[in-house]
Coordinates of all heavy atoms in Angstrom, one line a residue:
Chain B
V72 N -7.1 10.8 -6.7 CA -5.8 10.3 -5.9 C -6.3 9.6 -4.7 O -5.8 8.6 -4.4 CB -4.9 11.5 -5.6 CG1 -3.8 11.1 -4.7 CG2 -4.2 12.0 -6.9
T73 N -7.2 10.3 -3.9 CA -7.7 9.7 -2.7 C -8.3 8.3 -2.9 O -8.0 7.4 -2.3 CB -8.7 10.6 -2.0 OG1 -8.2 11.9 -2.1 CG2 -9.0 10.2 -0.6
I74 N -9.3 8.3 -3.9 CA -10.0 7.1 -4.2 C -9.0 6.0 -4.6 O -9.1 4.9 -4.2 CB -11.1 7.3 -5.2 CG1 -12.1 8.4 -4.7 CG2 -11.8 6.1 -5.6 CD1 -13.0 8.9 -5.7
A75 N -8.1 6.4 -5.5 CA -7.1 5.4 -6.0 C -6.3 4.8 -4.8 O -6.0 3.6 -4.8 CB -6.2 6.1 -7.0
S76 N -5.9 5.7 -3.9 CA -5.1 5.2 -2.8 C -5.9 4.2 -2.0 O -5.4 3.0 -1.6 CB -4.7 6.2 -1.8 OG -4.5 7.4 -2.5
V77 N -7.2 4.5 -1.7 CA -8.0 3.5 -0.9 C -8.1 2.2 -1.7 O -7.9 1.1 -1.1 CB -9.4 4.1 -0.7 CG1 -10.3 3.1 0.0 CG2 -9.3 5.3 0.3
L78 N -8.4 2.3 -3.0 CA -8.6 1.1 -3.7 C -7.3 0.3 -3.7 O -7.3 -1.0 -3.6 CB -9.0 1.4 -5.2 CG -10.4 1.7 -5.4 CD1 -10.7 2.0 -6.9 CD2 -11.3 0.5 -5.0
L79 N -6.2 1.0 -4.0 CA -4.8 0.3 -4.1 C -4.6 -0.4 -2.8 O -4.2 -1.6 -2.8 CB -3.8 1.4 -4.3 CG -2.4 0.8 -4.7 CD1 -2.4 0.3 -6.1 CD2 -1.3 1.8 -4.5
I80 N -4.8 0.2 -1.6 CA -4.5 -0.4 -0.4 C -5.3 -1.6 -0.1 O -4.9 -2.7 0.2 CB -4.6 0.7 0.8 CG1 -3.5 1.7 0.7 CG2 -4.5 0.0 2.1 CD1 -3.7 2.9 1.6
T81 N -6.6 -1.4 -0.4 CA -7.6 -2.5 -0.2 C -7.2 -3.7 -1.0 O -7.1 -4.9 -0.5 CB -9.1 -2.1 -0.5 OG1 -9.3 -0.8 0.0 CG2 -10.0 -3.0 0.0
I82 N -7.0 -3.5 -2.3 CA -6.8 -4.6 -3.2 C -5.4 -5.3 -2.8 O -5.4 -6.5 -2.7 CB -6.7 -4.1 -4.7 CG1 -8.1 -3.7 -5.1 CG2 -6.2 -5.2 -5.6 CD1 -8.2 -2.9 -6.4
Y83 N -4.4 -4.4 -2.5 CA -3.1 -5.0 -2.2 C -3.2 -5.8 -0.9 O -2.7 -6.9 -0.9 CB -2.1 -3.9 -2.0 CG -0.8 -4.4 -1.7 CD1 0.0 -5.1 -2.7 CD2 -0.2 -4.4 -0.3 CE1 1.2 -5.6 -2.4 CE2 1.0 -4.9 -0.1 CZ 1.7 -5.5 -1.1 OH 3.0 -6.1 -0.8
L84 N -3.9 -5.3 0.1 CA -4.1 -6.1 1.4 C -4.7 -7.4 1.1 O -4.3 -8.4 1.7 CB -4.9 -5.2 2.4 CG -4.1 -4.5 3.4 CD1 -5.0 -3.9 4.4 CD2 -3.1 -5.4 4.1
I85 N -5.8 -7.4 0.3 CA -6.5 -8.6 0.1 C -5.5 -9.6 -0.7 O -5.4 -10.8 -0.2 CB -7.8 -8.4 -0.7 CG1 -8.8 -7.6 0.2 CG2 -8.4 -9.7 -1.2 CD1 -10.0 -7.2 -0.5
I86 N -4.9 -9.2 -1.7 CA -4.0 -10.0 -2.5 C -2.9 -10.5 -1.6 O -2.5 -11.7 -1.6 CB -3.5 -9.3 -3.7 CG1 -4.6 -9.0 -4.7 CG2 -2.4 -10.1 -4.3 CD1 -4.2 -8.2 -5.9
A87 N -2.3 -9.6 -0.8 CA -1.1 -10.1 0.0 C -1.6 -10.9 1.2 O -0.8 -11.6 1.8 CB -0.4 -8.8 0.5
G88 N -2.8 -10.7 1.7 CA -3.2 -11.4 2.9 C -3.8 -12.7 2.8 O -3.8 -13.5 3.7
I89 N -4.4 -13.0 1.6 CA -5.1 -14.3 1.4 C -4.2 -15.5 1.4 O -4.5 -16.5 2.1 CB -5.9 -14.2 0.1 CG1 -7.0 -13.1 0.2 CG2 -6.5 -15.6 -0.2 CD1 -8.2 -13.5 1.1
P90 N -3.0 -15.5 0.7 CA -2.2 -16.7 0.6 C -1.8 -17.3 1.9 O -1.9 -18.6 2.0 CB -0.9 -16.2 -0.1 CG -1.3 -15.0 -0.8 CD -2.3 -14.3 0.0
F313 N 0.9 -9.8 6.7 CA -0.1 -9.2 5.8 C -1.5 -9.6 6.1 O -2.5 -8.9 6.1 CB 0.2 -9.4 4.4 CG 1.3 -8.5 3.8 CD1 2.5 -8.9 3.5 CD2 1.0 -7.1 3.7 CE1 3.5 -8.1 3.0 CE2 2.0 -6.2 3.2 CZ 3.2 -6.7 2.9
S314 N -1.7 -10.9 6.4 CA -2.9 -11.5 6.8 C -3.5 -10.8 8.1 O -4.7 -10.5 8.2 CB -2.9 -13.0 7.0 OG -2.3 -13.5 5.9
A316 N -2.8 -7.8 9.0 CA -3.1 -6.5 8.6 C -4.5 -6.5 7.9 O -5.3 -5.6 8.2 CB -2.1 -5.9 7.6
L317 N -4.7 -7.6 7.2 CA -6.1 -7.7 6.6 C -7.2 -7.8 7.6 O -8.2 -7.2 7.5 CB -6.0 -9.0 5.6 CG -7.4 -9.2 4.8 CD1 -7.6 -8.0 3.9 CD2 -7.2 -10.5 4.1
V318 N -6.9 -8.6 8.7 CA -7.9 -8.8 9.7 C -8.2 -7.4 10.4 O -9.3 -7.0 10.6 CB -7.4 -9.8 10.7 CG1 -8.3 -9.8 12.0 CG2 -7.4 -11.2 10.1
L319 N -7.1 -6.8 10.7 CA -7.2 -5.4 11.3 C -8.0 -4.4 10.4 O -8.8 -3.7 10.9 CB -5.8 -4.9 11.5 CG -5.7 -3.5 12.2 CD1 -6.2 -3.6 13.7 CD2 -4.2 -3.0 12.2
F320 N -7.7 -4.5 9.1 CA -8.4 -3.7 8.2 C -9.9 -4.0 8.2 O -10.7 -3.1 8.1 CB -7.8 -4.0 6.8 CG -8.3 -3.1 5.7 CD1 -8.0 -1.7 5.7 CD2 -9.1 -3.5 4.6 CE1 -8.4 -0.9 4.7 CE2 -9.5 -2.7 3.6 CZ -9.1 -1.3 3.7
L321 N -10.3 -5.2 8.3 CA -11.7 -5.6 8.3 C -12.4 -5.1 9.6 O -13.5 -4.5 9.5 CB -11.8 -7.1 8.3 CG -11.5 -7.8 6.9 CD1 -11.6 -9.3 7.0 CD2 -12.3 -7.2 5.8
F322 N -11.6 -5.1 10.7 CA -12.1 -4.5 11.9 C -12.4 -3.0 11.7 O -13.5 -2.5 12.1 CB -11.1 -4.7 13.0 CG -11.3 -5.9 13.9 CD1 -10.5 -7.0 13.6 CD2 -12.1 -5.9 15.0 CE1 -10.7 -8.2 14.4 CE2 -12.3 -7.0 15.7 CZ -11.5 -8.1 15.5
I323 N -11.5 -2.4 11.2 CA -11.6 -0.9 11.0 C -12.8 -0.6 10.0 O -13.6 0.4 10.2 CB -10.3 -0.3 10.5 CG1 -9.3 -0.6 11.6 CG2 -10.4 1.2 10.2 CD1 -8.2 0.4 11.9
M324 N -12.9 -1.4 8.9 CA -14.0 -1.2 8.0 C -15.4 -1.4 8.7 O -16.3 -0.6 8.5 CB -13.9 -2.2 6.9 CG -12.8 -2.0 6.0 SD -13.2 -1.8 4.3 CE -13.6 -3.4 3.8
L325 N -15.4 -2.3 9.6 CA -16.7 -2.6 10.4 C -16.9 -1.4 11.2 O -18.1 -0.9 11.3 CB -16.4 -3.8 11.3 CG -17.6 -4.6 11.7 CD1 -18.1 -5.4 10.5 CD2 -17.2 -5.6 12.8
N327 N -16.0 1.7 10.7 CA -16.3 2.8 9.8 C -17.8 2.7 9.4 O -18.5 3.7 9.3 CB -15.4 2.9 8.7 CG -14.3 3.8 8.8 OD1 -14.3 4.6 9.8 ND2 -13.4 3.8 7.9

Side-chain angles (χ1 to χ4, degrees):
Chain B
V72 167
T73 316
I74 298 169
S76 330
V77 172
L78 277 180
L79 190 77
I80 292 171
T81 314
I82 294 169
Y83 181 72
L84 258 188
I85 292 172
I86 293 174
I89 295 288
F313 278 112
S314 307
L317 182 63
V318 172
L319 183 66
F320 188 68
L321 291 178
F322 266 97
I323 299 213
M324 293 238 285
L325 206 70
N327 263 354

